Amino acid sequence: MAPLLEVEHLRVRFRTDAGALQAVDDVSFSLSDGKVLAIVGESGSGKSVTALTLMGLTRSANTELEGAVRFDGADLLHAPERDLRRVRGGGMAMIFQNPMTALNPVQRVGAQIVEQIRAHDRVSRSEAWKRAVTLLRRVGITRPEVRARAYPHEFSGGMRQRVMIAAALSCSPRLIVADEPTTALDVTTQSQIMDELEQLCRESTVALILITHDIGLVARMADDVLVMYGGRALEHAPADAVFADPLHPYTWALLRSVPRLDGDRVERLPTIGGSPPSLLHPPSGCHFRPRCPHSFGRCTEVPPLRASVDPEADGHPGAEPEGERHLDRCWLGLDDKRRLRRLDEEAPALVRTDGAA
Amino acid sequence: MSVDAPPGTAPLLEARNLELRYPVRTGSIRQPTRHVRAVDDVSLELGPGETLGIVGESGCGKSSLARCLVRLATPTAGTLLYRGTDITRANQRSLRPVRREIQMVFQDPEASLNGRKRVGQILATGLRLRGVPGNRMKAEIRELLRLVGLNPEHVDHFPHEFSGGQRQRIGIARALSADPRLVVLDEPVSALDVSIRAQVVNLLYDLREERGLSYVFVAHDLAVVRHASDRIAVMYLGRIVEQSPADDLYDHPLHPYTAALLAAVPVPDRVAARGRSKTVIRGEPANALELPSGCRFRPRCPRATDVCATVDPQLVDHGGRHLVACHHPLDTPAPAREAGSPSPA
Ligand SMILES: Nc1ncnc2c1ncn2[C@@H]1O[C@H](COP(=O)(O)OP(=O)(O)OP(=O)(O)O)[C@@H](O)[C@H]1O
Ligand code: SF4
Ligand SMILES: [Mg+2]
């Protein structure tokens, strides 16, 4: 069965006043119905540009797009705007980080969902209103008949994000692209909304691309993980493999630098020195090189994204090779990666012995 | 007013029943002005060299409390003591010596730095405040930049020429420029990326060790606060509902709200993430204008009984400086919840 979404060697380059900026540099992935792909990375790593490009929202005179984006077999990257609009209305929906910018402040939320429904479905206004109310109830809004008549500013941040999810669901999409859907929200609200989103997706086998920098959310939700850095994919594998056996030095450093609620309380957190690369003036070769403690001569050349684990040899005999592939973009050999990772993990993070300092 | 109380006797900072009320416009001029208590009957203490973490959801009053503690806001009731001296309503003039000793670092490094000033100028203000002579100024500025891990060569750069993490370092350097004893940090790392966040948390830790600083560390990220703090206070709708040594709070939360907050944090671990129970509490905090009767967490609380609707629980010490304001804390068996059943108060 062909995957629902296939992205191949996607490149996005912006022409800016300061020069050309390669925001996305050779990113490939595929996604099947009902699966969750998490795209993680730091600010400016190209996550949002990737998402927006899937939706056809980065097109402009100053943008160069290369590669392929196939949705349900049809090319989207170079499709005419009319076809794109149809896909956006029916097949793919996006949830943005800041719901306030995506909602119209002077229109009742119910009316906004009605408009979306009627944009791709020829139903009467009252029928669409009924559907909008049902959708709002589905995403956990109490008394939806009443709340549908409210304006966005009358909702809390969490409620607004629920409205966005309802709007996204209104076109019965097969794929939802959620760009930091809960970053602006409190943990308790985030937890409720992610529960709901996950349940909605699993229930109706909607595929989800979850863009986030929250490693905890990734651990909880993802089937597959794509780690982005400086516009490139540095590691791409099933989530279990990424957490159990991270193969890129950036990935394992990132996983380690997350402050945790479990385990020992430490005085100093493990960190990654330096800061992410500028996309206007990226370092030559491996983008992580200036911050990588393990770089060597070869790292001034761009490493390819490739599998260094053979799933057969690595104790997954008979596993589906396509889905089980563990790719990373680093020149180190597999044994070196695992050895260096172990050394890094043993390196000091001062453990507190006593609460009062 | 003197701030030279003998050290070691009094806590560095002490708040007693602090309250900050804001008037809220209701839209209609005929209606009386209503008030929302952003900080409501908060008491806390901070010793020299100690870090107190304050956590809670957005709108719970964390930042308002922080602003009271540095006297950017004047409490509407209660008492605020700095080294034994009452500064609750002290005016600007008498506050001046205190201002230097209590500094604040803000959440948004972008907004809190004057974009038209060069880094050197930003840092010079605090240095002048503490009387550094003009001929020492340049050297002191370079030293400050080095201290927070910035390149001293960049003294003439503007804030926008730095990354977010570097700008937060400038904010920290600015706070340190006055040579404070106490720094109140309001969400100092929330705007930063994970890898940069850890760098700044470590910097704060090192500075505290080197200079014997005390911190009040306000944040909504429980994992960050856990590592940075000695003691932690959990706020809910203006109140502190639990306060305890850091390890104890995370290992044995007593307030149902604290337990729910901790359970809601996604852990960066596959096995643990799957094993965790999901949403524990539902809904969102009540509107601060329409507080529920009794315990303000009641509408969301899985343990609430009749008594919770009538009696506002007070903070009680459960041993080892672990305070909790709850009728049914987690060190007691879960109450029976049939309607009309006697509530085990
Ligand atoms: N329309 C545009 N024109 C020029 N540059 C752009 C444009 N949109 C994004 N960029 C640049 O592309 C790079 C990648 O940005 P992107 O928004 O994808 O990052 P991100 O990974 O989503 O980061 P964040 O975590 O901060 O949301 C950044 O350097 C950004 O400044
Ligand atoms: S390619 Fe080199 S610099 Fe890049 S991550 Fe691997 S070892 Fe480090
Ligand atoms: Mg983004």
Side-chain angles (χ1 to χ4, degrees), chain A residues 104-318:
Chain A
N104 180 348
V106 296
Q107 197 181 19
R108 298 176 200 277
V109 298
Q112 300 192 41
I113 299 175
V114 163
E115 214 163 75
Q116 294 232 10
I117 294 172
R118 281 167 51 95
H120 55 86
D121 247 350
R122 282 214 206 111
V123 292
S124 69
R125 219 158 247 294
S126 62
E127 172 60 28
W129 183 265
K130 259 189 230 144
R131 273 202 225 169
V133 169
T134 310
L135 281 167
L136 289 172
R137 180 173 299 119
R138 252 183 97 190
V139 296
I141 289 183
T142 49
R143 294 185 300 133
E145 323 72 27
V146 183
R147 310 286 297 273
R149 291 182 200 283
Y151 291 94
H153 72 263
E154 298 174 62
F155 283 67
S156 67
M159 285 298 160
R160 268 181 228 139
Q161 201 52 289
R162 290 194 166 92
V163 172
M164 285 302 301
I165 295 174
L169 291 171
S170 71
C171 65
S172 317
R174 296 178 64 192
L175 169 66
I176 293 180
V177 181
D179 189 359
E180 309 260 12
T182 53
T183 303
L185 307 175
D186 283 318
V187 281
T188 55
T189 312
Q190 161 174 303
S191 159
Q192 292 171 46
I193 289 188
M194 291 321 287
D195 275 359
E196 285 154 15
L197 192 58
E198 187 175 20
Q199 204 190 337
L200 291 169
C201 287
R202 303 263 185 225
E203 220 158 60
S204 17
T205 58
V206 177
L208 177 67
I209 295 181
L210 175 65
I211 294 178
T212 182
H213 57 256
D214 186 333
I215 307 292
L217 269 188
V218 178
R220 174 171 154 188
M221 307 265 303
D223 296 307
D224 289 312
V225 177
L226 180 79
V227 180
M228 283 190 77
Y229 189 83
R232 291 186 188 145
L234 292 194
E235 187 153 359
H236 183 194
D240 285 329
V242 170
F243 281 92
D245 188 18
L247 291 181
H248 198 285
Y250 172 67
T251 311
W252 77 63
L254 183 70
L255 291 178
R256 233 190 135 217
S257 71
V258 182
R260 302 182 62 126
L261 278 181
D262 49 347
D264 284 325
R265 206 153 63 88
V266 295
E267 304 203 305
R268 303 185 88 251
L269 301 167
T271 60
I272 310 175
S275 45
S278 144
L279 295 181
L280 277 170
H281 309 286
S284 65
C286 173
H287 277 170
F288 188 52
R289 181 170 49 86
R291 302 173 81 186
C292 181
H294 310 299
S295 67
F296 59 109
R298 186 125 197 228
C299 304
T300 50
E301 294 166 47
V302 179
L305 184 72
R306 61 177 178 188
S308 48
V309 187
D310 172 3
E312 301 273 326
D314 218 51
H316 304 284

Side-chain angles (χ1 to χ4, degrees), chain B residues 278-331:
Chain B
K278 296 207 172 162
T279 311
V280 189
I281 51 170
R282 307 209 69 87
E284 295 181 26
N287 183 339
L289 271 173
E290 287 142 36
L291 288 178
S293 66
C295 172
R296 39 194 87 183
F297 183 57
R298 175 176 52 84
R300 300 169 80 190
C301 183
R303 295 188 143 221
T305 60
D306 294 348
V307 64
C308 307
T310 48
V311 183
D312 192 0
Q314 300 300 305
L315 272 177
V316 175
D317 195 337
H318 282 234
R321 293 183 85 197
H322 194 151
L323 313 175
V324 62
C326 171
H327 295 298
H328 308 296
L330 295 171
D331 58 357

